[in-house]
Amino acid sequence: MKAFVPTGTPAAVGPTVRQAAVAEPVQRADQALIKVEAYSVNRGETFVLERPPADWRPGKDVAGLVVQAAPDGSGPAVGRRVVAHPPAAGWAEYVAVPTGALAPLPDRVSAVQAAALPLAGLTALRLLRTAARHTGHLAGRRILLTGASGGVGHYVTELAAAAGARLTVVTASAERGARLRELGAAEVVHQVADATGPFDLVLESTGGTALPLALARLAPRGLLLWFGQASRQPVELNFFDILSGPVSATIRQFSYADVDEPDGADLATLVRLTAEGRLHPELGTVRDWAETPQVLDELRERRIRGNAVLTVA
């Protein structure tokens, strides 16, 4: 079968992936074999491709058709459309996925929409769930979201607004800011320094100089969830500033993968919300999968807002 594999070439020199012939997946007992119809490319995957692990192939967000059911009898039957979140190797014609990491798709959710859900949607859903555990609820809470231009920012905005939170988003793009306001953001600013707190919660994905500025805008006993490093710049914190800042503030690192249960239930929630018209995958570009190398370059250069989805002919 055909799949995209890392070239090991720096992006500044040439393409970081190439299409190649690889062996078809061998199913484990708890894995369904999926014929991939569409997959989403995440900016974080562009970072991994700079120094790819040995024998690793990219691809964590896919949608397609079950062509072989799991040998142990778990999961959907042959012929069922699904969205899946494999650990890797999804940029291919076929991928084997644990049945706990997929969810069936209704007819009214397309493969292209579904492929945009897993990584960004799971991150947003679990981020807000973690925040709600700290505050008790989100209704009426003031939330600051940095780095809001991407897929996670889109889903956080929709989900937080639906939960009754008052959300301030940080995005450098006026066009993107207008879209986030349509989705429910109460306030749009173009840099963290322009945000007026205090905020009960800060969802921080930029790192660098943004994190200390965001931390200073927390309310007493507020929570900062650090879930990304989009700036790729190290964070420097002055602990004297923290001592004179918000009283009893909490800083917590967040990983969407730090859960005890499989992904399938949360994927099913994202699919249900999409089917009901309560969640709207933001498709920044939809292209044939032959254009994957070009799309990766555009993601690195921040020329795509929202999700980048590739369709497999």
Side-chain angles (χ1 to χ4, degrees), residues 157-182:
T157 299
E158 276 203 286
L159 293 170
R166 180 173 175 80
L167 186 68
T168 296
V169 297
V170 183
T171 174
S173 165
E175 178 184 359
R176 189 64 180 154
R179 176 58 178 152
L180 291 171
R181 194 179 287 277
E182 290 175 359

Side-chain angles (χ1 to χ4, degrees), residues 3-305:
F4 275 99
V5 300
T7 62
T9 303
V13 177
T16 54
V17 295
R18 62 180 177 84
Q19 201 173 79
V22 302
E24 291 191 10
V26 177
Q27 291 170 267
R28 296 199 313 258
D30 66 340
Q31 290 181 328
L33 185 65
I34 310 300
K35 184 180 187 299
V36 178
E37 296 178 1
Y39 58 81
S40 179
V41 177
N42 299 289
R43 192 164 179 267
E45 289 171 306
T46 69
F47 301 155
V48 181
L49 283 166
E50 294 175 4
R51 294 183 178 178
D55 301 322
W56 170 83
R57 289 193 282 115
K60 295 174 69 67
D61 292 5
V62 306
L65 191 72
V66 176
V67 292
Q68 289 185 28
D72 67 1
S74 64
V78 171
R80 192 67 192 264
R81 298 173 59 245
V82 295
V83 59
H85 190 51
W91 300 359
E93 291 180 300
Y94 297 92
V95 62
V97 185
T99 55
L102 52 80
L105 290 176
D107 291 340
R108 55 188 179 276
V109 177
S110 70
V112 168
Q113 289 176 301
L117 288 173
L119 182 60
L122 291 172
T123 301
L125 187 66
R126 292 169 179 173
L127 192 63
L128 291 173
R129 186 179 294 151
T130 302
R133 290 193 188 107
H134 178 84
T135 62
H137 59 83
L138 294 179
R141 302 300 189 191
R142 296 198 62 189
I143 301 177
L144 175 65
L145 172 66
T146 68
S149 294
V152 175
H154 169 95
Y155 291 134
V156 165
T157 299
E158 276 203 286
L159 293 170
R166 180 173 175 80
L167 186 68
T168 296
V169 297
V170 183
T171 174
S173 165
E175 178 184 359
R176 189 64 180 154
R179 176 58 178 152
L180 291 171
R181 194 179 287 277
E182 290 175 359
L183 294 171
E187 185 179 10
V188 177
V189 297
H190 298 308
Q191 51 189 359
V192 178
D194 295 332
T196 54
F199 297 96
D200 304 297
L201 295 160
V202 169
L203 309 178
E204 214 294 292
S205 65
T206 306
T209 59
L211 191 149
L213 289 172
L215 178 62
R217 284 155 176 76
L218 267 182
R221 292 168 295 282
L223 170 67
L224 184 148
L225 285 173
W226 186 12
F227 70 99
Q229 188 77 358
S231 71
R232 311 196 75 187
Q233 298 297 318
V235 173
E236 294 185 4
L237 285 175
N238 184 323
F239 278 82
F240 289 102
D241 290 341
I242 294 176
L243 288 172
S244 61
V247 176
S248 298
T250 299
I251 304 173
R252 176 176 169 181
Q253 186 269 345
F254 170 88
S255 169
Y256 87 102
D258 185 20
V259 293
D260 295 327
E261 64 274 2
D263 295 326
D266 284 343
L267 285 174
T269 296
L270 295 168
V271 169
R272 175 178 57 82
L273 292 173
T274 302
E276 293 172 355
R278 299 163 61 189
L279 197 65
H280 301 83
E282 194 83 342
L283 304 175
T285 187
V286 180
R287 314 260 272 277
D288 184 86
W289 74 318
E291 297 186 57
T292 298
Q294 296 93 309
V295 169
L296 289 172
D297 288 339
E298 292 173 24
L299 281 172
R300 292 187 189 95
E301 297 165 4
R302 297 183 179 275
R303 287 190 278 142
I304 296 174
R305 302 296 181 184

